[in-house]
Amino acid sequence: AQSVTQLGSHVSVSEGALVLLRCNYSSSVPPYLFWYVQYPNQGLQLLLKYTTGATLVKGINGFEAEFKKSETSFHLTKPSAHMSDAAEYFCAVSEYTGGFKTIFGAGTRLFVKA
Amino acid sequence: NAGVTQTPKFRVLKTGQSMTLLCAQDMNHEYMYWYRQDPGMGLRLIHYSVGEGTTAKGEVPDGYNVSRLKKQNFLLGLESAAPSQTSVYFCASSTTGPQAQYFGPGTRLTVL
């Protein structure tokens, strides 16, 4: 059965510092992996996705994530945090086993300090 | 191109009342979903649809019903609201199951 674990419900970084949000998954078949961002009082927006091919995926707003099959991880990074990055981030895994199923992690709230 | 829209944005119900949440998408997506979001629990799938006239149960379907009479609309119904259904409800759509989902702005529902 598929599952998603996001390590840390809250992460705080200083403006200009590296952002690292961790996501580990389990899946019985090659997964599709996603990161979404949610700003206050809004719906989720896609940041980036991994389907097949290159394991380093670049997304919007300078974010990127690397699919590491051996570690079953899909961590999200950004070299330099900006105040506007403060939001909640969700990792999601989708697998197709006759029917589709997408599971979302519990979310990580990112705080950016001036 | 409005994307995914949800009606209403806010609603307060009394226990036992019924209501319908409307989701509409203008992207010609086949798949549509209803989720609920509760603090610390991420998003949980209530029901979904893989095409007009079809619906299926998700992770937490009890107490909810859905209908997909038109491709662009997906309705979520609560027949007899309970305080445990206080949540933020999101609708989403996608081209196919494993692809990225496009989310609406959410409906904040409070059941007293």
Side-chain angles (χ1 to χ4, degrees):
Chain A
Q2 58 186 139
S3 66
V4 179
T5 302
Q6 291 185 239
L7 298 177
S9 59
H10 298 84
V11 170
S12 182
V13 301
S14 297
E15 192 173 22
L18 171 72
V19 175
L20 171 61
L21 304 182
R22 300 178 188 273
C23 174
N24 288 90
Y25 70 91
S26 67
S27 176
S28 57
V29 298
Y32 295 80
L33 297 162
F34 307 85
W35 275 100
Y36 290 85
V37 60
Q38 184 181 32
Y39 299 103
N41 300 313
Q42 294 186 25
L44 279 67
Q45 303 172 34
L46 180 69
L47 266 182
L48 50 79
K49 66 180 181 182
Y50 168 80
T51 54
T52 58
T55 57
L56 181 63
V57 181
K58 295 186 184 298
I60 61 172
N61 301 337
F63 284 93
E64 61 183 36
E66 186 171 11
F67 169 55
K68 291 188 176 181
K69 185 178 179 180
S70 61
E71 298 177 9
T72 60
S73 68
F74 191 57
H75 301 331
L76 181 70
T77 60
K78 181 175 181 178
S80 177
H82 192 271
M83 297 297 289
S84 61
D85 295 326
E88 189 152 22
Y89 293 80
F90 292 92
C91 181
V93 59
S94 184
E95 63 179 28
Y96 196 82
T97 53
F100 85 98
K101 192 172 184 182
T102 300
I103 298 293
F104 287 81
T108 297
R109 184 166 296 278
L110 176 66
F111 297 91
V112 182
K113 300 174 292 186
Chain B
N1 191 339
V4 179
T5 58
Q6 293 182 233
T7 308
K9 289 185 169 53
F10 302 93
R11 187 72 186 269
V12 178
L13 291 178
K14 294 181 179 178
T15 297
Q17 288 185 319
S18 63
M19 78 162 294
T20 300
L21 281 66
L22 171 63
C23 175
Q25 54 95 3
D26 60 3
M27 296 174 284
N28 201 35
H29 285 169
E30 290 293 332
Y31 288 58
M32 296 187 75
Y33 318 80
W34 276 107
Y35 294 93
R36 60 177 291 172
Q37 183 179 32
D38 302 291
M41 303 188 74
L43 274 75
R44 293 182 292 170
L45 183 64
I46 304 171
H47 286 280
Y48 64 99
S49 168
V50 300
E52 181 178 320
T54 71
T55 62
K57 294 181 179 179
E59 183 185 358
V60 289
D62 294 342
Y64 305 94
N65 57 75
V66 288
S67 65
R68 183 104 181 263
L69 298 180
K70 293 183 178 181
K71 185 177 183 178
Q72 64 267 34
N73 295 336
F74 195 29
L75 278 64
L76 177 71
L78 286 73
E79 291 186 347
S80 180
S84 61
Q85 294 177 305
T86 293
S87 188
V88 181
Y89 291 86
F90 286 99
C91 177
S93 69
S94 70
T95 53
T96 59
Q99 297 304 316
Q101 297 180 22
Y102 293 80
F103 284 79
T107 295
R108 186 172 295 275
L109 174 66
T110 302
V111 183
L112 303 175

